[in-house]
Amino acid sequence: MHIDILTVLPQMFSGVIDSSILKRAQDKELVTIEVHNLREYSKNKHRHVDDYPFGGEAGMVLQIEPIDNAITALKKLRTYDEIIYTSPDGEVFNQQIANQMSSYNNIIILCGHYKGIDYRIREHLITREISIGDYVLTGGELAAVVMTDAIVRLIPGAIGDEQSALSDSFQDNLLAPPVYTRPADYKGWKVPEILLSGHQAKIDEWKLQQAMERTERLRPDLLKK
Ligand code: ADE
């Protein structure tokens, strides 16, 4: 999979995409993540990528030209399944969307700007708009990081034990059951007996019942889906 991220703040990505599962998936060549600085696609001599909005509102708006230049250049290299714009007014991201996107070959994620981007980009170049929740971030970079992480960890082979991605919370609209490790007794705080029993069928039944109970208590909305 190839993920191209378009941003005015490329420095926000280092550290995150070079760590943990995202790093391992890139080392294993399961995914290539390229962060592109939109300023490099500006023809302006000062590399400006934003300008005042028509109609006189406060704040700056990302211009169409550098974004069109970047997307046009990338489209010459590969065919994209989706060109995504991160925005608080997009479709709310969830595990189903992450699953779907983890099967794609190529995506572009365009990071929104705090005041917005020229609307013509959304009308003519973007195929899908995604929000990561009903709150407003300063820009779309954190949203792009969240989406990239959620998508890449689902690519087969990214997580050592593939089962562990399948048993994540939300994969079947259930929250995950509790997990424990050694010691089995810490200051009298004990691990549930059943997990030490070695009886796999009973353990699986317990896990399902715990998942149901936690979902009913904490996220009853998921059971209605
Ligand atoms: N940009 C600003 N807020 C956002 C959000 N909630 N989701 C995605 N992109 C955003």
Side-chain angles (χ1 to χ4, degrees):
M1 183 180 199
H2 200 106
I3 303 179
D4 288 291
I5 298 172
L6 306 182
T7 173
V8 288
L9 296 168
Q11 67 273 25
M12 281 186 73
F13 292 85
S14 51
V16 183
I17 64 168
D18 302 332
S19 311
S20 186
I21 301 288
L22 288 182
K23 177 174 188 326
R24 206 167 72 190
Q26 291 172 94
D27 290 346
K28 285 180 162 178
E29 297 182 3
L30 298 172
V31 65
T32 306
I33 304 171
E34 273 190 87
V35 179
H36 307 267
N37 188 346
L38 277 172
R39 289 183 205 286
E40 279 164 23
Y41 295 89
S42 168
K43 300 234 165 83
N44 180 295
K45 72 170 183 237
H46 301 295
R47 298 262 163 114
H48 285 165
V49 288
D50 53 7
D51 207 337
Y52 294 98
F54 286 124
E57 272 222 26
M60 303 291 271
V61 173
L62 275 189
Q63 292 172 289
I64 197 164
E65 199 193 6
I67 292 171
D68 184 34
N69 289 344
I71 292 177
T72 303
L74 290 172
K75 277 180 168 171
K76 285 193 183 130
L77 301 177
R78 56 191 75 83
T79 306
Y80 286 92
D81 298 284
E82 209 88 83
I83 301 177
I84 299 154
Y85 171 56
T86 55
S87 164
D89 48 17
E91 177 187 1
V92 178
F93 192 64
N94 60 23
Q95 194 66 28
Q96 277 72 42
I97 299 174
N99 280 333
Q100 179 190 30
M101 290 187 176
S102 72
S103 69
Y104 288 165
N105 292 320
N106 305 305
I107 57 171
I108 293 174
I109 306 179
L110 169 65
C111 301
H113 193 56
Y114 73 106
K115 252 297 160 190
I117 61 173
D118 189 310
Y119 202 76
R120 288 167 292 181
I121 298 161
R122 299 170 68 170
E123 289 173 323
H124 298 287
L125 298 172
I126 297 300
T127 61
R128 196 157 182 183
E129 302 194 342
I130 300 278
S131 162
I132 59 160
D134 289 342
Y135 41 82
V136 179
L137 301 164
T138 312
E141 284 73 17
L142 293 174
V145 166
V146 166
M147 290 174 59
T148 301
D149 186 274
I151 293 166
V152 170
R153 64 193 298 286
L154 293 171
I155 299 174
I159 293 184
D161 173 6
E162 232 186 89
Q163 272 310 106
S164 74
L166 292 177
S167 61
D168 283 343
S169 284
F170 302 113
Q171 279 298 4
D172 41 17
N173 279 330
L174 287 178
L175 299 184
V179 292
Y180 303 86
T181 186
R182 281 179 284 189
D185 185 343
Y186 180 74
K187 295 182 179 173
W189 302 338
K190 294 202 172 77
V191 167
E193 247 347 280
I194 181 79
L195 294 178
L196 311 175
S197 71
H199 195 304
Q200 199 54 50
K202 286 213 168 111
I203 292 174
D204 290 345
E205 195 186 312
W206 178 86
K207 285 185 179 170
L208 179 62
Q209 171 248 315
Q210 287 289 314
M212 295 284 291
E213 186 279 317
R214 295 189 75 241
T215 311
E216 256 164 44
R217 183 162 46 86
L218 302 168
R219 291 293 308 275
D221 55 301
L222 291 176
L223 293 174
K224 295 194 192 100
K225 285 190 182 164

